[in-house]
Amino acid sequence: MRTDNLLEGLREVLWGWHVLALILAAGVLFTWNSGFFQVRRVGMWLKIALGMDAAPRKHGGVTRFQAISTALAGSIGTGNIVGVAAAITAGGPGAIFWMWVSALLGMMTVFAENYLAAGRQGGPLSYIQSAGKWGKWLALVYAAGCCLSSLGMGNMVQMNALASACRDLGLPGKAVAAAMGLTVFFVARGGLRLAVKITEKLVPFMTILFFAASLGVLWVHRDRLPQALASIFQGAFSLRAGMGGAVGMLAAVKAGVSRGVFTNEAGLGSSAFAYQGIQGETPTRLGCMGIFQVFADTIVMCTVTGLCILCGFAPGLEGAELTFYAYQSALGDWGRWAVSACTALFALATVVAWCCYGKEGLAYLGGGRWKWAYPAAAGLAAGVGCLTPLRAAFQLGDALNGLMALPNIFALLYLSRKVLAEDGPPLLRGDSHN
């Protein structure tokens, strides 16, 4: 009980309303001052992200597809399955609406992160340390938060969900913990070049498998879809129960925003690590790829998961079990196997990406001297995460996210004029040229 209270207190300090409000404020700032670019230029950023434009490319380095796959691997994790279920459990169906809101605003936050980090080594660390006289201290806090968060949210939380999925498939927990510990150790040693080779193959496969199962669930429950959609909007704004209703609405807002950021990582700056190896892309184009990342992760995938859960909802269940039940109730054992496999694959993809991020953070803290220690720490965290209770894993993951979010948001607000200035990104000024 004491440990649970300690983790909850730490989460409230580092991931409470004040932090979520700062993240939303940054999204509002970039959204409003760009004239709602993410809405106004939806066709343009989709073309850029999907490679449908005719802009020239340089050869060498990380390809655009590899970078987007790695960024999506980092964000499309168990938050899209377990996180959505946790949001609905904590805030009701209305939490899905507030996930949409956080994603809409977060699109421009990620745009700013990628724009400011373009052409620099060190991803978000490169622009955070340039944020005024406190920049170097903010960068040190961010690097520590990135390293710890990669072991917590990017590793232990993911491995916890993976272990749950593997147990559902009949695999022994301790054996899974040992196997995952070794796997993560060797992946962490491989660095970004190994990560992009894994994620460019893993992300398309796991996405297709997830959508095939999800569309099957929605087809079986198609008569419940209108009611599920209605419950999202009713739960988001319902005050019919007086003070109790207001508390419920606030719970929906907090759960939706918190889980939304947890899954799409807007405000954490992490995706900028994935794009730092791309050559031949302008800062504005890299920002557009970030918008697509948030759109695909939260607007598309989290919505699909949420609708599947609401259509086959089972009171009394939480986390992965709530999602597993929704798929099994519609598709039988095949549905439960499919969503278990997706959970394991999503978790593995996220760990692969976050190992690269955490390694960068540790390298910054140690001046490039401590990289050797990270693979061992990552392997140990993976094994422990497989055996950690779900609630504790999420509490720790949220708290460590705050260590990244706070210095990153302060830096984004300080440097916002570089993104929104009159001589800034042409696309934000309404120019149709790249």
Side-chain angles (χ1 to χ4, degrees), residues 76-101:
I76 298 180
T78 58
N80 295 80
I81 296 177
V82 181
V84 175
I88 293 174
T89 300
I96 301 297
F97 176 86
W98 296 108
M99 290 182 78
W100 295 340
V101 172

Side-chain angles (χ1 to χ4, degrees), residues 71-278:
L72 283 173
S75 57
I76 298 180
T78 58
N80 295 80
I81 296 177
V82 181
V84 175
I88 293 174
T89 300
I96 301 297
F97 176 86
W98 296 108
M99 290 182 78
W100 295 340
V101 172
S102 73
L104 181 66
L105 299 175
M107 287 178 183
M108 290 310 298
T109 305
V110 177
F111 179 99
E113 292 168 352
N114 284 8
Y115 180 86
L116 290 171
R120 306 185 187 193
Q121 287 298 313
L125 289 164
S126 61
Y127 64 76
I128 292 174
Q129 66 183 358
S130 68
K133 63 180 181 180
W134 297 102
K136 290 185 178 179
W137 290 105
L138 290 174
L140 285 172
V141 173
Y142 183 90
C146 180
C147 184
L148 292 173
S149 191
S150 73
L151 299 175
M153 184 276 289
N155 190 328
M156 292 179 66
V157 172
Q158 308 302 322
M159 288 295 104
N160 180 277
L162 182 146
S164 178
C166 288
R167 285 194 296 270
D168 193 67
L169 295 172
L171 300 176
K174 291 184 179 180
V176 170
M180 287 299 101
L182 288 173
T183 299
V184 171
F185 170 77
F186 286 110
V187 167
R189 289 188 63 186
L192 182 61
R193 290 192 177 277
L194 175 60
V196 297
K197 290 180 180 179
I198 295 173
T199 55
E200 71 174 337
K201 297 177 176 62
L202 191 56
V203 169
F205 172 75
M206 70 186 193
T207 302
I208 291 171
L209 177 60
F210 172 77
F211 272 108
S214 298
L215 291 176
V217 172
L218 295 178
W219 174 256
V220 171
H221 292 314
R222 58 190 180 277
D223 58 322
R224 302 182 187 176
L225 267 176
Q227 181 181 355
L229 285 168
S231 70
I232 292 175
F233 293 97
Q234 290 170 358
F237 300 102
S238 178
L239 294 174
R240 287 179 298 177
M243 183 59 70
V247 172
M249 178 178 169
L250 289 175
V253 174
K254 185 173 183 180
V257 173
S258 179
R259 292 302 120 217
V261 174
F262 183 89
T263 182
N264 61 47
E265 299 173 12
L268 302 186
S270 54
S271 70
F273 285 120
Y275 295 101
Q276 65 181 340
I278 292 185

Side-chain angles (χ1 to χ4, degrees), residues 312-334:
F313 187 75
L317 298 179
E318 65 176 12
E321 285 300 319
L322 182 59
T323 311
F324 293 163
Y325 176 83
Y327 282 75
Q328 185 177 29
S329 66
L331 304 176
D333 290 340
W334 184 89

